[in-house]
Amino acid sequence: MEPKPAGDVEYGRSMPHARPGRAARLLQNGYVMALDPSTILVLSTALAAAAALYLAVEWASVGERSLLYWSAGFGVIAVGCVLALLRSSGYLVVGIWFANGLLIAAHWLFLAGVARFTRTRLSRGWSLVAIAWLSMLLLPGAPWWSRGMLCVQSLLIAGITLRASFLLRPHGVSLSVGAVQLRYVLLVHGLFYLAKALSVLALGASLDLAAFRGEVIQVSLVEGAMAIMLIALSMTGTERHRREERIEQLAARDPLTALFNRRALDLRAPALLEHASAASPGALLLIDIDNFKQANDLHGHSAGDKLLVALSEMIREVLPQGSLAARLGGDEFVILLREASGEAVVRLGNGLREAFGQIAREMFVTPKAVTLSVGATLFERPPASLAALLELGDAALYESKRAGRDRVRVMPVG
């Protein structure tokens, strides 16, 4: 492709008698702009490439797909900024249309990353963004092409970015500081592009896409460099908080059943126990699998693991709101109920016992039935400690075992 002269261009037409722009007047008067458009683009390229590399390293470390989308977005921005430099050499289609298209694609990747982070499915309608941009290639000779391209590009980026900001709403849960920052940075960035589109339509500003002239373009270049830094920092903080939460959850969970472990139970139980009163007594259920060793000996340890996982899933299904469940170790589990009655405890214990006995029979054949023994205790005031409450539950469990197993025993209210 032969380079085209980069004269003053408005709406895609040459304007030989146009008044010199601000940059040209400054040069005529002996001044040099410290941050001319080319310098800003080079700076933006470096920032975007650095952000892409850093997020790619983070993705390789933690494997979170949202980081991969965000890294790809910044990589596309870096390529787009390099191509945008070509417009001053006369390569207008590559330097304007294709470079601006890459900027839209980068923001779409940001949206895809946010959707992945928030576990939201995007509708197929967002794929129409590409069709809307491709349509601008069909009208390069129209007198309003330059202004129309800038307006369409700005509206597409505004819509994509505002949608990403909308996905980061709290939705009833607490957001991390990084997620809140990312939400508002995307919101301001989207509103900026919306205002940019409206200014092109309403103010009738003079535009020169080939030479980066026009106040709208100058401000947009500066905002773009700032947005790259802010968005990259917010994305990094957002994913770092997600990773810390995941590490904390792993430390608090039993790796096989995903129920709380003993340490997590010790930390969370006091807050639940202190609500006990005569009007709303709490309850503890201690659960143990009968003849568990037989399943391991006859069918291997994988059989025992399957039984433990099956029981943990049953417990999660019947666990009331505000209650706690944990695996104490081996084949022993505990449930702490915030509000309960003797009848409710017996009903819950028997439901688990019957369901587990049936699934154990279907999974493995053993000389003696693999069943559940449940020992429970109710308390009308906060106990001295969780350990003291577990001792009462252990005594009730012993009574259940001594009575023949596969049954529920409840200690009187203490």
Side-chain angles (χ1 to χ4, degrees):
M1 180 185 295
E2 290 294 328
K4 299 180 182 179
D8 289 333
V9 179
E10 182 176 7
Y11 318 140
R13 296 179 298 176
S14 175
M15 296 184 65
H17 303 295
R19 184 179 178 182
R22 183 171 181 270
R25 294 199 301 273
L26 287 173
L27 291 173
Q28 290 171 4
N29 293 331
Y31 297 99
V32 177
M33 294 182 65
L35 286 178
D36 58 275
S38 296
T39 302
I40 297 175
L41 279 174
V42 171
L43 177 62
S44 298
T45 302
L47 290 172
L53 179 61
Y54 180 77
L55 291 170
V57 171
E58 287 286 293
W59 169 74
S61 173
V62 301
E64 177 58 45
R65 187 68 63 85
S66 58
L67 288 170
L68 183 60
Y69 284 122
W70 293 337
S71 174
F74 282 114
V76 170
I77 287 178
V79 174
C81 289
V82 172
L83 294 181
L85 290 169
L86 297 177
R87 69 179 68 180
S88 59
S89 299
Y91 297 99
L92 300 185
V93 173
V94 173
I96 297 177
W97 182 86
F98 198 74
N100 289 357
L102 289 181
L103 186 61
I104 297 171
H107 285 79
W108 193 94
L109 287 169
F110 290 161
L111 172 61
V114 170
R116 178 77 182 189
F117 178 80
T118 58
R119 297 179 176 86
T120 305
R121 182 183 294 274
L122 292 175
S123 67
R124 294 182 179 179
W126 288 101
S127 60
L128 298 177
V129 169
I131 298 175
W133 184 247
L134 286 171
S135 64
M136 295 303 299
L137 187 62
L138 303 177
L139 304 168
W144 47 265
W145 183 76
S146 179
R147 180 175 295 174
M149 167 175 282
L150 192 59
C151 184
V152 171
Q153 176 217 30
S154 300
L155 288 175
L156 290 176
I157 292 177
I160 293 170
T161 310
L162 292 175
R163 175 58 177 165
S165 176
F166 181 81
L167 291 180
L168 286 167
R169 291 181 308 158
H171 297 292
V173 296
S174 176
L175 290 178
S176 67
V177 174
V180 172
Q181 289 177 345
L182 180 58
R183 177 191 174 196
Y184 284 109
V185 168
L186 291 174
L187 176 63
V188 172
H189 188 56
L191 291 176
F192 171 82
Y193 269 90
L194 183 60
K196 179 179 173 181
L198 295 177
S199 68
V200 172
L201 290 174
L203 301 180
S206 177
L207 301 175
D208 184 349
L209 293 180
F212 297 106
R213 292 176 186 165
E215 292 183 0
V216 172
I217 299 176
Q218 299 282 343
V219 173
S220 184
L221 289 172
V222 175
E223 190 273 345
M226 294 175 60
I228 289 173
M229 292 187 294
L230 292 174
I231 292 174
L233 289 172
S234 300
M235 286 176 173
T236 303
T238 297
E239 195 50 56
R240 183 181 295 117
H241 181 83
R242 170 71 65 82
R243 189 194 324 160
E244 291 171 354
E245 279 187 334
R246 189 170 300 158
I247 293 173
E248 183 180 349
Q249 290 175 358
L250 289 174
R253 298 284 177 175
D254 172 64
L256 177 63
T257 64
L259 293 176
F260 285 126
N261 55 29
R262 177 60 187 268
R263 178 177 175 273
L265 180 67
D266 289 338
L267 292 174
R268 290 166 171 78
L272 186 149
L273 298 178
E274 68 181 10
H275 289 282
S277 66
S280 58
L284 177 142
L285 288 80
L286 203 57
I287 304 169
D288 185 80
I289 301 179
D290 305 319
N291 303 314
F292 181 71
K293 189 174 182 299
Q294 286 189 18
N296 276 335
D297 292 343
L298 294 174
H299 302 282
H301 287 282
S302 62
D305 289 347
K306 290 178 181 178
L307 289 172
L308 294 172
V309 171
L311 178 56
S312 67
E313 291 176 351
M314 293 177 187
I315 291 174
R316 268 192 293 269
E317 289 177 0
V318 300
L319 192 68
Q321 185 76 19
S323 302
L324 289 174
R327 181 188 178 195
L328 294 181
D331 60 335
E332 196 169 50
F333 295 77
V334 63
I335 296 176
L336 272 177
L337 301 178
R338 187 186 184 105
E339 295 181 7
S341 63
E343 294 79 6
V345 168
V346 171
R347 186 165 55 251
L348 176 62
N350 280 329
L352 286 172
R353 184 182 58 79
E354 293 169 3
F356 180 79
Q358 180 179 349
I359 196 171
R361 288 192 298 271
E362 294 172 354
M363 292 173 65
F364 307 107
V365 177
T366 54
K368 294 183 180 180
V370 177
T371 56
L372 290 185
S373 290
V374 181
T377 181
L378 280 76
F379 50 96
E380 292 184 344
R381 59 181 181 273
S385 65
L386 175 62
L389 191 60
L390 285 170
E391 287 182 6
L392 294 175
D394 196 53
L397 180 61
Y398 175 76
E399 291 295 328
S400 175
K401 295 277 190 181
R402 193 175 66 169
R405 304 181 180 181
D406 191 20
R407 63 197 66 227
V408 179
R409 285 290 181 266
V410 182
M411 293 288 286
V413 175

